[in-house]
């Protein structure tokens, strides 16, 4: 577009100052396009066959303007059957239905206007033929008592809606009689019946198409009622209605009873009905004229016995629809080439309307550089060019009607702009980098101040595009931080102080692939012989023929078990039937078509889980009563402190049988001395207390504490000792491993084959020939390998005295 001339020389204005001069002035406050807009649009109509029909259309815009019409979306050619009037309206001289091979004139009509700026289409106008059906509900004979209520009803369909009147004995009824109520939907109510109301009643329906009369129905009025009390009864309640705004709603309610009930109305949601446009016909019919969307709701009719709370109710739903109407029209705009144009169109209605966009009368869908957002209320066109100049229309439509609004897009093209960059090429350098190169435009290159490279993933919508600026002297650019094995689209524009060039042709290329990174792996022990492996699923692996490989082995072995192949969507795996005494090495890696990535390695031991499993079984703890019997082969010591039950149980088998120590866990306080008399010669007490006073003193000086792991090392399990216990002895009175010996206490069970050494030393101390064995240093016997830096538990019993002869 040429710049305005203020002098013989050319005056160049900066683009921000030039835009307001180029923007067209709005035609009115609604924001319609000044170049082309409808001053009158066709409306829905009902036609009589054989009679003429005129569809109005008047257009304002820059001449010359060409007007045509469409019927059901197809251009309607002018003929003797359809005539285009001088003002743009369409006349059908003889409206006809489908007969004798001629097409019906019924359908949806649109007025189409076009000038040099674009094309607009009017709202759809539906033309239907006037019809009248037969009665599908005829009035029925009725018998009523004097003072009672009679009701007649008829139903018939027609276009336009038939007008219903009533006749009594072939004479129109007197509508001035306040006892006679005529409802528009075809109902006649007669209250306070009298003998003269008896007769034959007919329903008469009429419209522009026809007049029809129903069957006769006789009303018989009997003598006066007995005057006895009758409960209120609602004979007819309100029906569910669906109307359009500005129509009239008739909610019927007929109630009987003695005394006559009082009819009242309310809304189920508690909102007031209001008084404007509200009236009551007869004894309880609610009429709402000129309904709005706010009148939608559930209406309740209540029939109350006077002076009491006795009532009957009936309810009906009223739905009011509103045709689509605009609360914001699209505005005509002018934008420089290469920039983005946006139109906004907001419509309301009930039900909410659907919005469609047209470009010069053709439906415009998303794709390419066109985007629709916010339920189609926003139209965005990026990188506009001359081909985008057009009139854009927003069409809002729902079941109650449709509306349209239009706006024009003008693309500004400054003189002297460079052409698009040439020979654009994109080459993958690595899995995250692409080098883009190009040649400068052919014309107008002196004013170029730089280039802008537009980048987006090929699978992404245009709104996710981003840009990188490049110096004017550089004709290549390395794009980094891209994703591996991903297709990207690139195009370039050259920029000058007056605007941007048109975009270059886009090029597509894909980054190189790479093996996946090590997956984050966590391991959880779920049992004494089971592990659960957890990691994040990688959906992208599935796109590249990938997944996971799992390996595991005991740490002492050289070879792994595996690989276990897992899908890319897997995020966990369980290993079971493992050795609880073994440390395992677990290795997980991801792979794709480019190879295997580095593995994530974890070492895990099941020993702690095995101990916790031994601690977990529930047990029935029984506190042993002190006994004077000296033949007991074990001692059970129980101490309860607060809520925690702490039990230290010591059981040994006499005569060389293997014993077990029940070592209670989580002892937070010192144990008190055992209850009841204890024999200092009991070998189990000697063993646990260092086999003598010297050992007890040594324990007190070292201030050390028994550690479970150290005990396991000092006293290995029976299977590891490699020597069976062959010492004979009596069978214990009760199995020390019986869970009935422990109550609410967690404990560890440790085989004490290591204690056999202590028992042997005690036995040798009794034997005078066992001197060398009895002279072993205490630290080599009882506590030479206790944990360092730990406090010593107090003795369980007074220090054992040396054995005396005769005992």
């Amino acid at each position: 577009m040429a710049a305005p001339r203020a002098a013989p020389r050319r005056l160049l204005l900066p683009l921000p100052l030039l835009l307001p001069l180029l923007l067209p002035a709005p035609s009115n406050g609604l924001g319609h396009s000044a170049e082309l807009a409808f001053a009158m649009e066709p409306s829905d109509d009902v036609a009589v066959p054989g009679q003429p029909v005129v569809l109005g259309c008047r257009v304002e815009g820059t001449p010359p303007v060409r007007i045509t019409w469409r019927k059901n979306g197809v251009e309607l050619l002018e003929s003797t059957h359809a005539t285009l009037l001088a003002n743009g309206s369409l006349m059908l001289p003889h409206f006809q239905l489908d007969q004798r091979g001629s097409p019906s004139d019924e359908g949806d009509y649109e007025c189409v206007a076009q000038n040099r700026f674009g094309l607009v289409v009017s709202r759809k106008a539906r033309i239907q033929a006037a019809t009248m059906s037969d009665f599908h509900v005829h009035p029925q004979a009725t018998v009523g008592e004097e003072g009672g209520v009679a009701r007649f009803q008829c139903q018939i369909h027609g276009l336009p809606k038939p007008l219903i009147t009533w006749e009594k004995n072939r004479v129109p009824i007197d509508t001035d009689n306040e006892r006679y109520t005529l409802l528009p939907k075809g109902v006649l109510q007669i209250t306070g019946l009298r003998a003269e109301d008896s007769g034959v009643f007919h329903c008469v329906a009429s419209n522009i198409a026809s007049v029809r009369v129903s069957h006769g129905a006789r009303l018989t009025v009997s003598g006066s009622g007995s005057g006895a009390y009758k409960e209120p009864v609602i004979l007819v309640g309100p029906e569910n209605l669906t109307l359009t705004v500005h129509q009239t709603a008739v909610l019927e309610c007929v109630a009987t009873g003695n005394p006559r009930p009082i009819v009242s109305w309310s809304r189920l949601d508690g909102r007031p009905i209001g008084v404007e446009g509200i009236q009551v016909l007869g004894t309880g019919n609610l009429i709402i004229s000129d309904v709005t969307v706010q009148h939608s709701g559930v209406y309740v009719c209540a029939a109350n016995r006077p002076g009491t709370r006795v009532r009957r109710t009936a309810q009906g739903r009223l739905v009011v629809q509103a045709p689509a109407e605009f609360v914001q029209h699209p505005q005509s705009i002018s934008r420089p080439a290469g920039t983005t144009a946006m139109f906004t169109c907001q419509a309301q209605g009930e039900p909410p309307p659907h919005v469609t966009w047209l470009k010069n009368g053709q439906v415009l869908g998303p794709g390419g550089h066109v985007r629709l957002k916010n339920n189609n209320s926003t139209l965005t066109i990026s990188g506009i060019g001359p081909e985008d100049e057009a009139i854009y229309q927003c069409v809002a439509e729902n079941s109650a009607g449709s509306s349209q609004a239009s706006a024009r897009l003008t693309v500004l093209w400054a003189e002297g702009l460079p052409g698009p960059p040439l020979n654009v090429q994109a080459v993958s350098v690595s899995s995250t980098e692409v080098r883009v190169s190009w040649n400068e435009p052919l014309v107008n290159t002196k004013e170029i101040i730089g280039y802008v490279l537009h980048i987006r993933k090929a699978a992404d919508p245009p709104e996710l595009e981003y840009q990188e600026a490049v110096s004017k002297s550089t004709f290549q650019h390395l794009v980094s931080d891209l994703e591996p094995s991903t297709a990207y689209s690139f195009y370039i524009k050259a920029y000058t102080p007056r605007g941007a060039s048109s975009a270059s042709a886009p090029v597509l290329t894909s980054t190189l692939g790479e093996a996946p990174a090590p997956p984050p792996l966590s391991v959880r022990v779920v049992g004494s012989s089971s592990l659960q492996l957890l990691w994040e699923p990688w959906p992208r692996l599935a796109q590249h023929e990938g997944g996971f490989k799992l390996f595991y082995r005991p740490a002492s072995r050289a070879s792994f078990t595996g690989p276990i192949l897992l899908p890319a969507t897997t995020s966990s795996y369980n290993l079971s039937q493992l050795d609880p005494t073994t440390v395992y090495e677990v290795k997980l890696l991801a792979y794709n078509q480019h190879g295997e990535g580095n593995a994530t390695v974890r070492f895990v031991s099941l020993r702690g889980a095995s101990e916790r499993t031994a601690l977990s079984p529930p047990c029935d703890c029984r506190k042993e009563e002190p006994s004077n019997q000296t033949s007991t082969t074990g001692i059970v010591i129980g101490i309860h402190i607060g809520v925690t039950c702490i039990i230290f149980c010591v059981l040994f088998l006499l005569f060389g049988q293997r014993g077990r120590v029940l070592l209670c866990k989580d002892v937070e306080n010192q144990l008190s001395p055992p209850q009841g008399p204890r024999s200092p010669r009991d070998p189990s007490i000697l063993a646990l207390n260092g086999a003598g006073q010297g050992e007890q003193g040594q324990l007190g000086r070292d201030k050390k504490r028994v550690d479970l792991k150290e005990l396991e090392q000092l006293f290995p399990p029976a299977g590891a000792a490699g020597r069976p216990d062959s010492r004979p002895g009596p069978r214990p009175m009760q199995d020390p491993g019986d869970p009935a010996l422990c109550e609410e206490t967690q404990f560890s069970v440790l085989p004490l084959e290591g204690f056999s050494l202590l028992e042997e030393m005690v036995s040798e101390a009794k034997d005078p020939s066992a001197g060398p064995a009895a002279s072993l240093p205490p630290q080599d016997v009882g506590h030479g390998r206790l944990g360092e830096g730990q406090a010593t538990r107090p003795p369980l019993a007074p220090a054992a005295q040396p054995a005396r002869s005769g005992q």
Side-chain angles (χ1 to χ4, degrees):
M1 180 179 295
R5 295 180 180 272
R9 61 183 179 86
R10 184 182 298 273
L11 176 63
L12 297 178
L13 294 177
L15 190 59
L17 298 179
L18 183 62
L19 285 177
L21 300 179
L22 296 175
L23 285 171
S27 61
N28 50 47
L30 298 180
H32 293 289
S33 170
E35 292 79 13
L36 203 60
F38 288 101
M40 175 189 293
E41 295 183 75
S43 57
D44 298 345
D45 199 0
V46 177
V48 179
Q51 299 295 322
V53 178
V54 176
L55 289 82
C57 178
R58 189 168 70 251
V59 181
E60 296 177 349
T62 303
V65 177
R66 177 174 178 263
I67 295 179
T68 58
W69 283 81
R70 295 176 184 172
K71 177 188 175 185
N72 298 331
V74 179
E75 184 174 355
L76 186 64
L77 299 179
E78 188 173 2
S79 64
T80 56
H81 185 61
T83 304
L84 180 65
L85 303 181
N87 63 356
S89 299
L90 178 69
M91 185 178 69
L92 304 177
H94 302 282
F95 184 85
Q96 63 183 22
L97 296 176
D98 188 3
Q99 55 184 356
R100 295 191 300 273
S102 300
S104 171
D105 289 331
E106 288 187 306
D108 293 333
Y109 289 80
E110 298 168 297
C111 179
V112 181
Q114 184 176 12
N115 65 2
R116 62 188 179 92
F117 295 113
L119 180 148
V120 292
V121 180
S122 72
R123 67 175 298 275
K124 293 179 180 178
R126 175 158 296 181
I127 305 300
Q128 297 173 282
T131 59
M132 178 77 79
S133 68
D134 292 330
F135 282 97
H136 52 276
V137 173
H138 289 269
Q140 301 295 319
T142 302
V143 176
E145 296 179 350
E146 287 189 3
V149 177
R151 179 180 181 272
F152 295 103
Q153 180 181 13
C154 65
Q155 289 184 3
I156 189 172
H157 292 316
L159 280 177
K161 185 178 180 180
L163 174 65
I164 305 295
T165 59
W166 288 86
E167 295 178 351
K168 175 187 174 184
N169 298 329
R170 292 295 183 178
V171 177
I173 64 173
D174 183 8
T175 57
D176 293 333
N177 190 336
E178 61 181 11
R179 296 188 301 108
Y180 283 55
T181 302
L182 280 71
L183 301 183
K185 63 178 183 177
V187 172
L188 171 64
Q189 298 173 356
I190 307 174
T191 59
L193 288 175
R194 301 173 183 174
E196 60 266 24
D197 293 326
S198 298
V200 178
F201 290 81
H202 292 82
C203 173
V204 181
S206 60
N207 66 5
I208 59 175
S210 179
V211 176
R212 297 190 185 278
V213 179
S214 71
H215 300 162
R218 178 172 294 278
L219 171 61
T220 302
V221 180
S222 62
S224 60
S226 63
Y229 168 76
K230 294 182 180 179
E231 289 282 343
V233 176
I234 296 180
L235 298 179
V236 179
E239 298 178 342
N240 295 332
L241 296 177
T242 299
L243 303 175
T244 305
V245 290
H246 308 308
Q247 290 183 329
T248 297
V250 179
L251 301 173
E252 184 180 8
C253 186
V254 178
T256 63
N258 191 16
R260 178 182 296 177
I262 299 174
V263 177
S264 61
W265 286 90
S266 63
R267 287 178 59 122
L268 191 62
D269 57 10
R271 295 172 55 188
I273 296 179
V275 294
E276 186 175 355
I278 305 296
Q279 59 178 323
V280 177
L281 290 182
T283 59
N285 305 291
L286 181 66
I287 309 298
I288 307 176
S289 58
D290 194 19
V291 295
T292 65
V293 174
Q294 287 70 30
H295 286 119
S296 294
V298 177
Y299 289 78
V300 180
C301 164
N304 292 70
R305 178 187 175 189
T308 69
R309 294 189 177 183
V310 178
R311 60 183 299 181
R312 296 292 183 268
T313 61
Q315 63 186 32
R317 180 179 297 275
L318 172 62
V319 177
V320 181
Q321 296 183 339
E325 62 177 357
F326 293 103
V327 295
Q328 182 177 357
H329 292 78
Q331 302 291 324
S332 295
I333 56 176
S334 299
R335 293 290 183 269
T339 60
T340 298
M342 179 181 295
F343 296 102
T344 301
C345 170
Q346 294 185 359
Q348 65 182 9
E350 183 60 40
H354 174 69
V355 174
T356 304
W357 287 89
L358 306 179
K359 176 186 177 182
N360 286 339
Q362 301 298 319
V363 176
L364 185 64
H369 65 313
V370 175
R371 303 190 300 274
L372 295 174
K373 298 188 298 183
N374 303 326
N375 292 328
N376 289 0
S377 64
T378 302
L379 168 65
T380 304
I381 309 170
S382 58
I384 59 175
E387 68 280 1
D388 295 310
E389 276 201 341
I391 294 179
Y392 293 85
Q393 280 183 276
C394 171
V395 179
E397 187 173 10
N398 64 5
S399 57
S402 67
S403 297
Q404 65 82 30
S406 61
R408 177 188 168 204
L409 171 61
T410 301
V411 179
L412 305 177
W413 190 263
E415 292 183 355
L417 291 179
L422 304 175
N423 300 326
V424 180
Q425 296 181 352
V427 179
S428 295
V429 177
S430 68
S431 60
T432 59
E433 295 176 323
V434 171
R435 177 173 284 107
V436 182
S437 61
W438 63 92
N439 295 334
E440 67 178 357
L442 293 177
V443 296
N444 301 326
T445 60
K446 292 182 179 180
E447 294 185 1
I448 293 177
I449 59 176
Y451 297 90
V452 173
L453 178 61
H454 297 251
I455 308 158
R456 71 175 173 90
K457 292 181 184 179
D460 284 349
E463 58 263 26
L464 297 183
E465 174 188 281
Y466 65 98
Q467 300 87 31
E468 293 185 5
V470 185
S471 169
K472 67 177 182 179
S473 59
T474 303
F475 298 103
Q476 65 176 6
H477 183 67
L478 185 64
V479 183
S480 57
D481 296 330
L482 304 178
E483 295 184 8
S485 302
T486 304
Y488 285 87
S489 171
F490 305 91
Y491 69 88
I492 307 172
K493 292 181 181 180
Y495 276 78
T496 71
R498 292 184 294 160
S501 71
S502 57
S504 69
V507 293
L508 291 175
T509 191
S510 297
T511 52
L512 301 178
E514 66 175 1
L521 173 65
S522 61
V523 182
R524 185 170 64 183
V525 178
V526 295
S528 60
S529 61
S530 300
L531 296 176
Q532 185 179 34
L533 312 180
L534 303 169
W535 64 93
E536 292 294 330
W538 290 3
R540 285 182 57 85
L541 288 177
Q543 303 173 9
H544 302 286
E545 303 175 1
F548 296 97
K549 292 184 179 181
L550 174 64
F551 304 83
Y552 70 97
R553 68 176 179 183
S556 59
R557 292 187 183 178
S559 60
F560 282 92
T561 299
I564 300 174
L565 300 180
L566 302 172
T569 55
T570 304
S571 60
S572 65
Y573 189 79
N574 286 3
L575 294 175
S576 58
Q577 298 182 352
L578 303 178
D579 186 353
T581 64
T582 302
V583 176
Y584 281 87
E585 179 182 359
V586 180
K587 183 169 65 174
L588 180 71
L589 59 85
Y591 68 92
N592 58 17
Q593 77 271 27
H594 303 291
E596 298 178 353
N598 293 329
T600 302
V601 180
R602 295 285 183 268
F603 289 87
V604 61
S605 172
L606 293 170
R607 181 182 297 272
S610 177
E611 294 173 356
R612 288 191 296 271
T613 303
L615 293 173
S616 61
C619 46
D620 183 13
C621 220
R622 298 177 183 176
K623 185 174 180 180
E624 295 291 337
E625 296 296 332
S627 175
N628 294 327
Q629 297 179 358
T630 59
S631 62
T632 304
T633 61
I635 299 175
V636 178
I637 302 173
I639 298 177
H640 293 266
I641 301 177
V643 180
T644 307
C645 174
I646 305 174
I647 299 178
F648 191 100
C649 305
V650 179
L651 296 175
F652 272 94
L653 303 179
L654 296 178
F655 307 107
Q657 289 293 332
R658 184 176 63 181
R660 293 182 181 270
V661 174
L662 303 179
L663 187 58
C664 293
K665 186 181 178 184
D666 298 332
V667 180
E668 298 180 357
N669 301 292
Q670 295 184 349
L671 300 176
S672 61
Q675 305 297 321
R678 299 292 185 268
S679 172
R681 294 169 296 178
D682 192 325
S684 62
I685 297 178
L686 290 174
L688 287 174
N689 288 278
Q693 291 179 346
E695 288 78 1
Q696 180 186 359
Q698 183 66 29
L699 283 171
R701 289 190 299 270
D702 291 346
K703 301 295 183 181
K704 295 184 178 180
R705 188 176 181 179
V706 177
D707 181 86
L708 291 178
K709 294 186 178 179
E710 294 294 335
L711 282 175
E712 290 180 354
Q713 296 175 1
L714 184 60
F715 308 120
R723 57 177 184 85
D725 190 354
S726 59
R727 302 176 62 184
R731 185 177 183 85
M733 296 176 61
Q734 189 174 7
D735 186 1
D738 189 351
L741 294 177
C742 182
E743 178 182 354
E744 300 179 358
T745 304
Q746 294 182 337
F747 58 88
S748 295
V749 179
L750 302 176
L752 297 183
E753 289 204 0
F755 279 122
S756 62
L757 173 60
L758 303 178
E759 297 178 17
E760 291 171 3
M761 291 189 298
V762 174
S763 300
E764 292 171 354
K766 295 181 181 182
D767 189 349
S769 63
S775 63
L776 288 174
Q779 64 270 21
D780 294 334
V781 178
H783 57 277
R785 299 178 62 185
L786 294 179
E788 295 293 336
Q790 297 180 349
T792 305
R793 301 173 187 263
L796 295 177
Q801 303 296 326
R804 293 191 295 270
S805 60
Q807 293 182 345

